[in-house]
Amino acid sequence: MMMNLELGKTREDNGLYTVKWNSGRYGIIANPEMTDWISLTSKDEFLVVSSDGIFERLTPQEVCDFLNEVEDHSDPSLLAQQLIQKAYLEGSYDNLSVVLVPLGSRDR
């Protein structure tokens, strides 16, 4: 499954809005940009949530290929770090953040 969902960019020109909460405090919120949606299936192994920096240099297919090539999926945090390193080595210097949610299909 690949769901392209871009969350919270940190630049003012990328859809960020300043909000005043009832408490009187200010904050920043972002409207996520979703470019595609595909329903999960029983074959899906991970949900990948990342910043745009990952996809600045890697295509969704390259991310999937990377996850399929890795032998050990027991530590999603380590996989996320490796994916960040891969994007960095490919030349991405933007915000590099990844959350990998294991869906358990590899265990079935």
Side-chain angles (χ1 to χ4, degrees), residues 14-105:
N14 284 320
L16 292 177
Y17 303 94
T18 303
V19 183
K20 184 175 181 182
W21 305 104
N22 289 339
S23 64
R25 297 174 71 189
Y26 287 88
I28 296 176
I29 62 170
N31 291 335
E33 176 185 334
M34 187 166 43
T35 57
D36 195 10
W37 180 275
I38 300 171
S39 297
L40 290 172
T41 71
S42 61
K43 295 179 181 180
D44 294 318
E45 298 177 27
F46 287 97
L47 173 64
V48 179
V49 181
S50 75
S51 63
D52 60 338
I54 297 297
F55 293 105
E56 180 180 279
R57 294 292 180 189
L58 301 175
T59 66
Q61 186 60 54
E62 288 172 322
V63 170
C64 291
D65 292 345
F66 168 79
L67 292 172
N68 285 327
E69 292 168 2
V70 174
E71 296 287 327
D72 183 7
H73 289 102
S74 63
D75 186 352
S77 294
L78 180 59
L79 282 174
Q81 290 173 11
Q82 291 170 342
L83 187 55
I84 289 169
Q85 183 70 15
K86 181 172 178 59
Y88 178 77
L89 292 173
E90 291 289 329
S92 181
Y93 300 105
D94 200 353
N95 178 11
L96 297 169
S97 304
V98 176
V99 175
L100 293 177
V101 180
L103 301 176
S105 64

